[in-house]
Amino acid sequence: MSRSPIVNQLSDVDAFFRELSKQPGFEVYGDDLPVAADAEIAAVEEVLGYPIPSEIRALWTSGVKVWQGTFQHDSFVSFGRDLCGPDIALRDLPTLRERADDPLSADAPEETREFVRLAKEGFPISFENPILVSDSGGAIYLMNFGDVAATRLAASLSEHLADWLRAGGLVQIDDEEGYRAFMSKVAATLTAWARGGGASKWLEYYRQTYWS
């Protein structure tokens, strides 16, 4: 029985971080994301009132490792994702729903309106602020509780993973110079599907938000 494309992609992401762990200058660590039982996913669906999108269900039942790490450089460089399973999603949903009552002014920006909508309707797939959140359509958003803002990153988990890995899987880098040094070390390790597709939207978001 063939695996779904998203499971193959998750396997490639896993292989990328495993390869980085063998290279000097990288500190890489991984935690198993437990394979979710149908009952665990159903418990989240019952609270949400809609089915978990297929790619996120595949993530939760894949048994992949969640990788994070740092790269030795003059400025701080970290990479990876703190992806979570349905148990953490269910645990953190009340905190998300508490923000659904945030007041909205008539001239509130789109990022704030999306934040409130996702606080009402979405669910987390990571747990450290800013968090990754999805909704009934399976799109991926970054929600920042401090800024009360949500930004759409991709139409699906697979699209986000490809875009994010195209930027080396970065999660926090202090400056452009650190990013260039990081990419010079990881570019040859990127899987083929992460090398094409043009500029990374995740990187452009990061540049505008943190380096501008």
Side-chain angles (χ1 to χ4, degrees), residues 64-81:
V64 297
K65 276 188 177 295
V66 176
W67 294 95
Q68 298 183 75
T70 57
F71 170 59
Q72 293 177 9
H73 189 263
D74 293 340
S75 57
F76 184 72
V77 177
S78 66
F79 50 87
R81 276 279 187 238

Side-chain angles (χ1 to χ4, degrees), residues 72-100:
Q72 293 177 9
H73 189 263
D74 293 340
S75 57
F76 184 72
V77 177
S78 66
F79 50 87
R81 276 279 187 238
D82 60 324
L83 296 172
C84 69
D87 54 339
I88 302 300
L90 193 61
R91 181 199 71 184
D92 290 352
L93 264 174
T95 301
L96 191 62
R97 293 294 182 265
E98 286 174 2
R99 301 302 298 270

Side-chain angles (χ1 to χ4, degrees), residues 68 82 91-92 126-132 142-143 145 171:
Q68 298 183 75
D82 60 324
R91 181 199 71 184
D92 290 352
S126 72
F127 55 87
E128 291 185 2
N129 186 58
I131 62 171
L132 292 178
L142 190 72
M143 284 186 72
F145 283 78
V171 66

Side-chain angles (χ1 to χ4, degrees), residues 3-193:
R3 299 192 302 181
S4 67
I6 182 64
V7 173
N8 288 330
Q9 191 184 39
L10 289 166
S11 179
D12 285 346
V13 171
D14 182 78
F16 169 72
F17 287 115
R18 288 182 187 274
E19 187 60 33
L20 286 191
S21 71
K22 303 173 186 177
Q23 298 186 22
F26 290 88
E27 182 176 345
V28 185
Y29 49 94
D31 293 315
D32 292 326
L33 189 65
V35 176
D38 288 342
E40 292 179 286
I41 297 175
V44 181
E45 291 176 331
E46 183 176 3
V47 174
L48 293 175
Y50 57 78
I52 294 297
S54 60
E55 289 194 348
I56 295 171
R57 174 180 282 272
L59 167 68
W60 286 353
T61 58
S62 64
V64 297
K65 276 188 177 295
V66 176
W67 294 95
Q68 298 183 75
T70 57
F71 170 59
Q72 293 177 9
H73 189 263
D74 293 340
S75 57
F76 184 72
V77 177
S78 66
F79 50 87
R81 276 279 187 238
D82 60 324
L83 296 172
C84 69
D87 54 339
I88 302 300
L90 193 61
R91 181 199 71 184
D92 290 352
L93 264 174
T95 301
L96 191 62
R97 293 294 182 265
E98 286 174 2
R99 301 302 298 270
D101 294 327
D102 280 17
L104 276 176
S105 62
D107 58 349
E110 181 63 23
E111 293 85 354
T112 302
R113 294 183 180 279
E114 277 290 80
F115 180 94
V116 172
R117 180 187 73 80
L118 290 166
K120 293 177 181 177
E121 305 171 9
F123 62 97
I125 61 171
S126 72
F127 55 87
E128 291 185 2
N129 186 58
I131 62 171
L132 292 178
V133 172
S134 191
D135 60 10
S136 60
I140 304 299
Y141 302 81
L142 190 72
M143 284 186 72
N144 191 312
F145 283 78
D147 295 341
V148 194
T151 302
R152 180 179 164 120
L153 298 176
S156 64
L157 179 61
S158 57
E159 181 182 310
H160 172 62
L161 288 175
D163 186 66
W164 166 69
L165 202 63
R166 196 174 300 124
L170 77 87
V171 66
Q172 184 179 348
I173 295 182
D174 288 345
D175 52 39
E176 189 79 45
E177 193 277 330
Y179 175 71
R180 287 195 298 269
F182 172 66
M183 284 302 293
S184 73
K185 298 294 185 181
V186 307
T189 308
L190 289 177
T191 188
W193 51 259

